[in-house]
Amino acid sequence: MPTKRSAVDALRKLEAERQALDERQRALEEKAALELGQLILGSGVEAFSRKGLKQASEMLGKLGEAEALRRLEGEPSASGRNETPAGS
């Protein structure tokens, strides 16, 4: 009958797996950043300040792709009002 592994061994294995996943995540995040950067270069958005680009990206992310594109294209909202950003 095979011997049971100890809880300590299982924890060590889990920690090693977690570290490997963390390293893989960092590598994939770097690759994703390069892909996104390549998409942005030449679009005109690269002229934004870091702070402005981050803020615009966060706002677009909250809106979602379809809503962000609809608003950027200037289509009226579903409620029939044409909403404009504050300060415009």
Side-chain angles (χ1 to χ4, degrees), residues 40-61:
I40 287 174
L41 288 175
S43 70
V45 176
E46 71 274 8
F48 285 30
S49 67
R50 283 180 72 133
K51 183 179 178 181
L53 182 57
K54 182 177 183 197
Q55 186 177 15
S57 298
E58 288 172 349
M59 292 172 76
L60 291 170

Side-chain angles (χ1 to χ4, degrees), residues 1 11 16 18 30 37 45 67-68 79:
M1 181 175 206
L11 283 172
R18 184 174 291 128
E30 286 181 24
V45 176
E67 179 65 10
S79 66

Side-chain angles (χ1 to χ4, degrees), residues 15-72:
E15 182 59 31
E17 291 170 355
R18 184 174 291 128
Q19 287 176 353
L21 285 173
D22 287 345
E23 289 173 19
R24 178 149 166 76
Q25 180 176 355
R26 280 190 294 278
L28 288 171
E29 286 172 349
E30 286 181 24
K31 188 175 178 179
L34 286 173
E35 289 177 16
L36 292 171
Q38 289 172 346
L39 288 172
I40 287 174
L41 288 175
S43 70
V45 176
E46 71 274 8
F48 285 30
S49 67
R50 283 180 72 133
K51 183 179 178 181
L53 182 57
K54 182 177 183 197
Q55 186 177 15
S57 298
E58 288 172 349
M59 292 172 76
L60 291 170
K62 287 177 185 175
L63 287 173
E65 182 177 359
E67 179 65 10
L69 290 173
R70 185 190 63 72
R71 289 190 186 191
L72 289 169

